[in-house]
Structure formats: structure tokens, C-alpha cells
Amino acid sequence: MVAELISGLEYSKKVLTDVGIHIAETRKSHPNFNSVLAIVQVGNRSDSNVYVGAKIKKAKEIGAEGRLIKLPSSITQGDLEREIKALNLDNEIDGIIIQLPLDCNNNIDADHVIDMIDPLKDVDGLTRMNAGRLMRGELQRTIFPCTPFGCLYLVQQATGDKNYVAGKEVVVLGRSKIVGAPAAQLFLWHHATVTICHSKTKNIKEKCLQADILIVAIGKKHFVKGDWIKPGAVVIDCGINVDEPTEEGKKSKLHGDVDFEAAKEVAGFITPVPGGVGPMTVAMLIRNTFEQAKRRRLHHEFDE
Amino acid sequence: MVAELISGLEYSKKVLTDVGIHIAETRKSHPNFNSVLAIVQVGNRSDSNVYVGAKIKKAKEIGAEGRLIKLPSSITQGDLEREIKALNLDNEIDGIIIQLPLDCNNNIDADHVIDMIDPLKDVDGLTRMNAGRLMRGELQRTIFPCTPFGCLYLVQQATGDKNYVAGKEVVVLGRSKIVGAPAAQLFLWHHATVTICHSKTKNIKEKCLQADILIVAIGKKHFVKGDWIKPGAVVIDCGINVDEPTEEGKKSKLHGDVDFEAAKEVAGFITPVPGGVGPMTVAMLIRNTFEQAKRRRLHHEFDE
Ligand SMILES: NC(=O)C1=CN([C@@H]2O[C@H](COP(=O)(O)OP(=O)(O)OC[C@H]3O[C@@H](n4cnc5c(N)ncnc54)[C@H](OP(=O)(O)O)[C@@H]3O)[C@@H](O)[C@H]2O)C=CC1
Ligand SMILES: NC(=O)C1=CN([C@@H]2O[C@H](COP(=O)(O)OP(=O)(O)OC[C@H]3O[C@@H](n4cnc5c(N)ncnc54)[C@H](OP(=O)(O)O)[C@@H]3O)[C@@H](O)[C@H]2O)C=CC1
């Protein structure tokens, strides 16, 4: 083993503890201050129940709050939109997320519903308005999507250098709205030279070999091989691929998009799966909610 | 000379003629159909006067219309915003652009004013809403920024292949809101593997040498040298660098960001300056206005 392991589990605890301290600090001068995340869940998927439960628990642990708005799977687009509008107007709510995928009997345009979230209460950075700001490098005016933000934070913390990204070659595998596309933008505006690869990319191994920092988000178990990694590179693996258990009573196993065992012999730093990017996403969600709460409740530096 | 010259002058005429034919066609079934571009000019810069004049003239030539809204340089942000709001509501107006740079005595947040343009009347693709849609690959719902759109069109036309971009390596030099950043997105969503370079990029020559298609938009005369070009590459030079005349009575001379004389010996296709990307920008503006007119007046495929 050459690479230093980046423990997202540990770093996520640090982020959450820090937010907790800041909330407590803020309450000294603003006793009624709160940081409330509204989680809109449609239907009753068991995996969604687990994720939602984890978010609410983490928020509570640090003195913030998560509120579940659980809606029946029979809900219509119009009614779901009305729920979002009500949350936008609710002065007690600081952040709104829609738990995906929706478990709904009706055809719902989830992008459209997400886009109705007030950009000031958007904590996933998934509204088009905030995506547009990110694309244009207006970092002070937007909110960073949670998973890419977690990736950036891990690179900065692991290397011990807030400006590590600047001037580096970053290769992003994947261009989804949630991970790949915003990750590319976030690293670009932290001044990396960024290359974006996807399913139409031809020489993906060569591209990976150029990366000082490799961000992988494609959803294919062990897709990136050990000999695709530039020696010393920082490898951030967002992939969550589930091996269903073959025997009853056994737990399902999680795998990343990177062949971890081979890659860790070459990389300088590497995130494991599980315990890498995954826990960072929840931590950044709670941190983003706190940022929006400060902006909205205390008019902290946000010149909308 | 190895490279085939890409005449933006010729292609821009083709685009404009096509739009003219389409407008005439549309009027057969919708006699009152029009395609009206409102150009908001603050102050009286002489270069702006020239550009505005050219846009209105080109629009008129093909049976569309350009209207100048010329505002005094004493205008305030509030009054400028009210002008935009009025144009948003004016049923006769299909497209709105703000001629930059503003010539104004007051401090005006131009980005904010641009962002007030109704995304349905945005024909520069510069509102954050449309920038966000482009970043997420929602090509049917957005409008392409004119200069990047011109670049894409030139590549497709010169190579004779609408899908030429897919799977190619595209390197974009520059990440401005107007050219570099949206060009990277536009080529990405036409399925290129895209690398974005800027002033913090370290090995820019090496990056350029990997490009099947090189898009240059940095504003530095002859920055890209002949030996930075991959043999056979398509080179699109957006740069407009003005050599002021040294003698009175002489005309100022325009130069691109690419050392054209050297690059044309290596490239497969190359745009000249002037007569390359420049004229395409105006043509795409008039084309975009027509697209928005169809969407708004005839409810053509735009599911907002
Ligand atoms: N850690 C966390 O908290 C989170 C983890 N994830 C995980 O990250 C992974 C990616 O998620 P997400 O972005 O939502 O996935 P999507 O399926 O939305 O996107 C996958 C992307 O990978 C690209 N891709 C697919 N196959 C290949 C290939 N063979 N070569 C190159 N590129 C390819 C696709 O390209 P194209 O665009 O051409 O189709 C697409 O851009 C998943 O494993 C997911 O579970 C996601 C969100 C949060
Ligand atoms: N044909 C047409 O119709 C149009 C032409 N243009 C022309 O295109 C050119 C670019 O315009 P615009 O995008 O508005 O310019 P900007 O000045 O807004 O952006 C320039 C970009 O180039 C980058 N850059 C500057 N110097 C270097 C360098 N030495 N190496 C690498 N990158 C560098 C900058 O990087 P960083 O972000 O790090 O500062 C920045 O991203 C200009 O010549 C302009 O006149 C523009 C609009 C329309």
C-alpha cells in the first residue's frame, strides 16, 4: 500500500462537529437561530427511508433540525409543487431537498419540481439558477452540490492545502447533474485544468493517466483499473455499487467505481468505498443548510 | 498551406439566408409573424454604435427586425431594470440583448440586469437560468450563446458532419461567461471529451496538442503557436485583438488569438480573423431571435 487513505467518515464528523459549534456560537447572539432542513419524500422506498433517517439523525446530533414531509405515492405534480411553494414561504425552513428517486404512481417531472425550490433554500445546488451561477464561477452567490463539495473538501483536507487544486490536472469521469457536471465546474473554478469524460469518451485510460486528481462518478463497479492511475495522484471515488447478498441473512456489499485494491498501490491519496465520499454528502447537506440559514436569517454576505 | 479555410463570412450568409427563408415561410401561414430583436444600448460608445448598426441591418436584410433602445449614460440601475421589465412584457419583442460594455456614469451590475431578461426572450443565452440548463445538457430547453453556437456550427459545416464533435477531444482556451465556459458545455453536450484551460493552466501547449478541435477565446494576439496544433485539427479562433493604426487615416487591423500563418500549415481546418467567428456571432443572434419568436409566438416545442 502506497496511497494514504482518505477517511470520509472521519472528515464528515469534523465537518458536522464544526457546524454544530458554529450553530451554538450563533445562538449566543441570536437565541432563536435555527437551521432547519425540510426533506420531501414521496412514497415509501425502504432505501429512501434509511437515507432520510440518517440525514435527520445527523442534523439533530449537532443541534440543527431535519423535518420529514412524507407525501403519499398517489400525489400529483400539482400538489407536489404546492408543497414546495408552501415550504418556500415557510419562514421556519432554511433548506429544502427532494429525496430521489420519487416513489410515485403519477408521472412527475422531478427536475421541474426541484427547480421550484427558492434558490435561497436550495441546499443541493440542483436548481438551474444555482447550477448556472456555478457554471459562471459565481461561487459566492451559489451553493455547492453536496457530493462534489465533499470531493473538493476531501482533496483540500487530505493534502492539507486549500489551494491544492489550482493549476492541477483534474479528470472527471461522469457528467450527471448531481455529481459529474457540477464537480467539473467546482474544480474548474478552484482553478484546475479540467477534463470531462463520459460514455462517449474514446481513450479514457489515457485521460485518467494524466490526472493529478481523478474524480470518478459513473456507477460501474471497479471500472477504473490500477494502471489507469498516475503515480501519486489523488483518487476520489464517488461510486456506490451494491452487490446484493448471495446468501440469506448476509449483508449487501458496497463497491466503488475504482478497483481500490490495485489503485491504492499507485495513488498518492485514495478514498475507500464505503466510508469515503458517501458520508461527506450528508455532512455537506447539513453544512449547506446552515450556510443558507445564515444568509437568509442573518443576511450573511449574499447579495441577492 | 495545408488547412482548409473556414469562411465564417460565407457560412454566416448561409445562416441568415436560411432564417430569412424560414421567416417568409412562416408568414405564409401566420401573416403577422415577426422576429423582433430589442437591443438595449446605454450611452454612446462609437464601437457599440457600429455593432448595433450591423445587427439591425442584418436583421432587416432577411425580413426580421432590430429595434434600438438607446438610453442615456446617466441612467440608474433601477431605471435600466424597468426598461428590461417593460421589454419582457412587450408582446412585440422576441429577443432582448444588452449591448456590452455599458457606457454609464453610474455603477451598474450588468450581470444582474441581464439576468432579468425573461429566459424566453434571452437570445444571448446569458441568463443564469439558460446557462444552468446548458450546463445540465438540457439543450432543447435553453438557447445557445451566440459565439459558441457559431463555433459549433462552423465545425459541423466545415467537416460536413453534424456529429463530428462526438467522441472528439475538444480543448477550450478561456472560461469566460460569454465564450469559453458555454463553448465547453456546448461541445460537451455534443459528446466531445472536453478540456477547459485558462490562465492558471500549466502545460497549455501540451493540452492544445491533444485537441482534435481547438477553440481559442482568450483575447491575446497570436498566443497559440503553430507547433501547438495537432496535425489535421480543426482550429476555431474567437479572438479579436485590435492593432490601433500607427498612421492617421490608416485602418485598425484585427488579429486572432492564433498565429494564423503558422497554424494553417498544420491544421486541417482553420478560421481566419477577421471573417471567421466574428460574423457568425451576429448571424446566430438573429437565428436565436427567430427560434425564440417561434417558441413564444407559435408555441414551438419548448416545454416551459
Ligand atoms: N457518494 C454519494 O453520496 C453519491 C454517490 N453517487 C454514486 O455515484 C455514481 C454516479 O452517480 P450519478 O452521477 O448519479 O450517475 P448517472 O448514471 O446519472 O451518470 C453516470 C455518468 O457516468 C457516465 N458513464 C457511464 N458509463 C460510462 C463508461 N463506461 N465510461 C465513461 N463514462 C461512463 C455517463 O455518461 P453519459 O452521460 O455519456 O451517459 C454519465 O455521465 C453512482 O455509483 C452513484 O451511486 C451518486 C450520488 C451521490
Ligand atoms: N467573435 C466574436 O464575436 C467575439 C469575440 N470575442 C473575443 O474573444 C476573445 C475572448 O473574449 P472573452 O471570453 O470575452 O474574454 P475574457 O477576457 O472575458 O476571458 C479571457 C479568458 O482567457 C483566459 N486567459 C487569459 N490569458 C490567458 C493565458 N495567457 N493563458 C490561458 N488562458 C488565458 C482567461 O483566464 P482566467 O479565467 O484564468 O482569467 C479567461 O478565462 C477576445 O479577443 C474577444 O474580443 C468575444 C466575444 C465575441
Side-chain angles (χ1 to χ4, degrees):
Chain A
M1 168 107 185
V2 175
E4 195 173 300
L5 204 74
I6 307 179
S7 172
L9 213 56
E10 290 308 314
Y11 283 117
S12 69
K13 283 180 193 157
K14 183 171 168 326
V15 169
L16 287 168
T17 306
D18 278 0
V19 175
I21 291 168
H22 278 104
I23 289 179
E25 278 294 321
T26 309
R27 281 192 181 132
K28 284 187 190 158
S29 47
H30 301 83
N32 294 322
F33 181 82
N34 208 351
S35 175
V36 182
L37 172 66
I39 305 174
V40 177
Q41 183 186 2
V42 174
N44 193 30
R45 281 176 66 114
S46 56
D47 56 348
S48 290
N49 292 339
V50 173
Y51 293 135
V52 167
K55 289 169 188 171
I56 292 176
K57 183 164 161 274
K58 293 280 175 223
K60 198 171 170 192
E61 275 171 15
I62 58 140
E65 199 183 317
R67 287 191 199 164
L68 174 59
I69 291 96
K70 200 161 184 167
L71 301 167
S73 49
S74 58
I75 198 165
T76 62
Q77 171 117 16
D79 282 341
L80 183 53
E81 289 179 5
R82 270 180 285 280
E83 291 286 345
I84 303 297
K85 279 186 196 152
L87 290 169
N88 281 341
L89 294 173
D90 186 339
N91 227 351
E92 272 302 291
I93 300 293
D94 301 288
I96 306 168
I97 63 165
I98 296 164
Q99 186 68 36
L100 298 175
L102 301 175
D103 168 23
C104 192
N105 307 332
N106 304 310
N107 230 330
I108 290 201
D109 180 347
D111 280 337
H112 184 77
V113 176
I114 288 171
D115 225 31
M116 294 193 57
I117 296 172
D118 182 340
L120 282 166
K121 294 191 177 188
D122 174 16
V123 283
D124 259 342
L126 295 181
T127 55
R128 291 186 181 89
M129 183 60 83
N130 282 329
R133 287 170 173 153
L134 179 58
M135 172 178 152
R136 297 155 58 135
E138 299 170 323
L139 302 190
Q140 302 310 317
R141 292 193 182 196
T142 188
I143 195 94
F144 301 161
C146 302
T147 302
F149 192 10
C151 296
L152 175 68
Y153 183 88
L154 288 180
V155 173
Q156 292 172 327
Q157 292 290 319
T159 60
D161 182 357
K162 269 223 126 186
N163 294 317
Y164 187 81
V165 171
K168 292 292 187 303
E169 295 222 20
V170 171
V171 175
V172 178
L173 303 194
R175 55 177 170 175
S176 74
K177 286 171 207 180
I178 297 184
V179 193
Q185 296 300 318
L186 195 57
F187 281 84
L188 172 67
W189 291 108
H190 284 78
H191 306 306
T193 302
V194 175
T195 300
I196 310 167
C197 301
H198 45 77
S199 68
K200 305 287 190 328
T201 296
K202 280 181 179 152
N203 46 352
I204 203 159
K205 174 182 171 179
E206 269 169 62
K207 290 284 128 195
C208 289
L209 273 167
Q210 297 179 355
D212 300 314
I213 301 168
L214 181 62
I215 312 288
V216 188
I218 59 176
K220 294 210 155 41
K221 177 181 163 183
H222 296 182
F223 181 82
V224 174
K225 311 301 176 204
D227 63 352
W228 296 23
I229 312 284
K230 178 173 168 175
V234 183
V235 178
I236 306 289
D237 185 352
C238 304
I240 301 180
N241 305 289
V242 185
D243 260 359
E244 291 306 331
T246 44
E247 282 172 57
E248 215 173 309
K250 287 221 167 161
K251 270 193 152 182
S252 57
K253 226 186 143 195
L254 300 186
H255 301 275
D257 289 346
V258 176
D259 181 351
F260 180 81
E261 288 306 319
K264 75 176 171 31
E265 302 299 330
V266 193
F269 298 87
I270 190 167
T271 58
V273 176
V277 176
M280 288 307 297
T281 301
V282 180
M284 290 321 201
L285 177 65
I286 288 163
R287 179 175 164 155
N288 278 348
T289 306
F290 173 59
E291 291 301 324
Q292 297 291 48
K294 278 195 298 184
R295 287 169 169 173
R296 196 179 61 89
R297 297 188 189 236
L298 311 176
H299 307 292
H300 249 251
E301 327 214 299
F302 192 68
D303 49 351
E304 244 302 318
Chain B
M1 167 106 183
V2 175
E4 194 170 302
L5 203 73
I6 307 179
S7 172
L9 212 57
E10 290 308 314
Y11 284 117
S12 70
K13 284 180 193 155
K14 183 170 166 334
V15 169
L16 286 168
T17 307
D18 278 0
V19 175
I21 291 168
H22 278 105
I23 289 178
E25 278 294 322
T26 310
R27 281 191 181 131
K28 285 188 190 157
S29 46
H30 301 82
N32 295 323
F33 181 82
N34 208 351
S35 175
V36 183
L37 173 65
I39 306 175
V40 178
Q41 183 186 2
V42 174
N44 194 29
R45 282 176 66 113
S46 57
D47 57 348
S48 290
N49 291 338
V50 173
Y51 293 135
V52 167
K55 289 167 188 174
I56 292 175
K57 182 164 162 273
K58 292 281 173 220
K60 198 172 171 189
E61 275 171 18
I62 58 141
E65 198 183 320
R67 288 191 198 163
L68 175 59
I69 292 94
K70 201 163 182 164
L71 301 169
S73 48
S74 57
I75 198 165
T76 61
Q77 170 116 13
D79 282 342
L80 183 53
E81 289 180 6
R82 270 180 286 279
E83 291 287 345
I84 302 298
K85 279 185 197 154
L87 291 168
N88 281 340
L89 293 173
D90 186 339
N91 227 352
E92 273 301 292
I93 299 293
D94 299 289
I96 305 168
I97 62 164
I98 296 164
Q99 187 69 35
L100 297 176
L102 301 175
D103 169 22
C104 191
N105 308 331
N106 304 309
N107 228 331
I108 291 201
D109 179 347
D111 281 336
H112 185 78
V113 176
I114 288 171
D115 225 32
M116 294 191 58
I117 297 172
D118 182 341
L120 281 165
K121 294 190 176 187
D122 175 15
V123 283
D124 260 340
L126 295 183
T127 56
R128 291 186 181 90
M129 183 60 84
N130 282 328
R133 286 168 173 154
L134 179 57
M135 172 178 153
R136 296 156 58 134
E138 300 170 325
L139 302 189
Q140 303 309 317
R141 294 192 179 194
T142 189
I143 196 94
F144 300 159
C146 302
T147 303
F149 193 11
C151 296
L152 175 69
Y153 183 88
L154 288 179
V155 173
Q156 292 172 328
Q157 292 291 318
T159 60
D161 182 356
K162 270 222 123 188
N163 295 317
Y164 187 81
V165 171
K168 291 291 187 301
E169 295 221 19
V170 171
V171 175
V172 178
L173 304 195
R175 56 177 169 175
S176 74
K177 286 171 206 180
I178 298 182
V179 194
Q185 295 301 318
L186 195 57
F187 281 84
L188 172 66
W189 291 109
H190 284 77
H191 306 306
T193 301
V194 175
T195 300
I196 310 165
C197 301
H198 46 78
S199 68
K200 305 287 191 325
T201 296
K202 279 180 179 154
N203 45 353
I204 204 159
K205 174 181 171 181
E206 270 169 62
K207 290 284 128 193
C208 289
L209 273 167
Q210 297 179 356
D212 300 314
I213 301 168
L214 180 63
I215 313 290
V216 188
I218 60 176
K220 294 210 156 37
K221 177 180 165 182
H222 297 180
F223 182 82
V224 174
K225 311 300 175 205
D227 63 353
W228 295 23
I229 312 282
K230 177 175 168 173
V234 183
V235 178
I236 307 290
D237 187 351
C238 303
I240 301 181
N241 304 289
V242 185
D243 261 357
E244 291 306 332
T246 44
E247 282 171 58
E248 217 173 311
K250 287 225 167 154
K251 271 195 154 181
S252 56
K253 225 186 144 197
L254 300 187
H255 301 274
D257 289 345
V258 177
D259 180 352
F260 179 82
E261 287 305 319
K264 76 176 172 25
E265 301 299 328
V266 191
F269 298 89
I270 190 167
T271 58
V273 176
V277 176
M280 289 306 297
T281 300
V282 180
M284 289 322 198
L285 178 65
I286 288 162
R287 178 173 165 157
N288 278 350
T289 306
F290 173 59
E291 291 300 325
Q292 297 291 48
K294 278 195 298 183
R295 285 169 172 174
R296 197 179 60 90
R297 295 187 191 238
L298 310 176
H299 307 290
H300 247 251
E301 327 216 301
F302 192 68
D303 49 349
E304 243 304 316

